[in-house]
Amino acid sequence: MKVDPDNIHIMIAEDHTNIFTADISRDFSLEYNGKPIEANITEIFKNSSRASDGALIDSHGDAMDPKRVKVMVYIQPHDIQLTDECEKGLVEGNISDLIYKGDHYSYVVKTDFGQDFVVDDEYLWNMDDHVGLIMPVDKMKFKVKK
């Protein structure tokens, strides 16, 4: 077998990291579309602390306004678990696409909020199945968006 150097193409692998924006509620907890994300908010905002009244204090000693700050959440497709018990998931939606990858399936789940999530799972689900997405907080990465 002979391959000419001009016929070799190196392609960057696709990054299917799921990214969504979490809101900060009045009591300074994280939520996504009304469902809580059980994350420690003071770990997300570096050098922040909680005041005795529950307010979040930034590194300069000023109270933060939850309406002015958003938190970007990142999670990998293999860290999300599909479930048919939709209420257990952080979000729910319908499977709109699937691809068999040799040792697992890669699904696209369309939510009612217009957000698509890519999920890897070893089990075969059907097109249009209504599923919940269980997203463990310890697998999430957070970034502050101002």
Side-chain angles (χ1 to χ4, degrees):
M1 182 168 148
K2 179 182 175 196
V3 178
D4 292 326
D6 289 340
N7 291 334
I8 298 172
H9 300 277
I10 298 173
M11 300 173 68
I12 298 172
E14 292 182 50
D15 180 11
H16 289 296
T17 301
N18 295 287
I19 303 169
F20 59 96
T21 304
D23 295 313
I24 301 173
S25 66
R26 285 187 204 159
D27 67 346
F28 293 97
S29 60
L30 286 183
E31 56 184 40
Y32 180 62
N33 294 312
K35 287 195 173 182
I37 299 173
E38 303 296 330
N40 185 341
I41 195 95
T42 57
E43 290 179 7
I44 297 169
F45 292 92
K46 301 295 183 217
N47 301 317
S48 67
S49 61
R50 298 298 290 260
S52 59
D53 65 355
L56 188 65
I57 307 299
D58 67 15
S59 59
H60 303 293
D62 299 322
M64 295 177 67
D65 181 359
K67 294 178 187 171
R68 299 189 66 195
V69 181
K70 299 281 186 204
V71 175
M72 301 303 294
V73 182
Y74 301 80
I75 188 165
Q76 295 298 316
H78 61 271
D79 291 328
I80 300 174
Q81 179 185 351
L82 294 172
T83 179
D84 54 2
E85 296 179 61
C86 296
E87 66 280 355
K88 288 187 175 182
L90 178 62
V91 67
E92 57 188 79
N94 291 347
I95 294 175
S96 65
D97 195 11
L98 68 93
I99 299 171
Y100 182 62
K101 299 268 186 142
D103 61 350
H104 69 278
Y105 295 88
S106 183
Y107 297 96
V108 175
V109 178
K110 252 187 206 323
T111 69
D112 294 337
F113 308 111
Q115 173 85 39
D116 290 350
F117 286 89
V118 177
V119 181
D120 292 343
D121 196 295
E122 63 181 297
Y123 300 107
L124 177 61
W125 293 77
N126 296 316
M127 290 291 290
D128 295 322
D129 274 355
H130 192 74
V131 294
L133 304 181
I134 298 173
M135 300 184 208
V137 174
D138 64 331
K139 300 293 185 178
M140 295 178 179
K141 292 186 178 21
F142 302 95
K143 184 176 179 184
V144 177
K145 178 181 175 183
K146 294 183 182 187

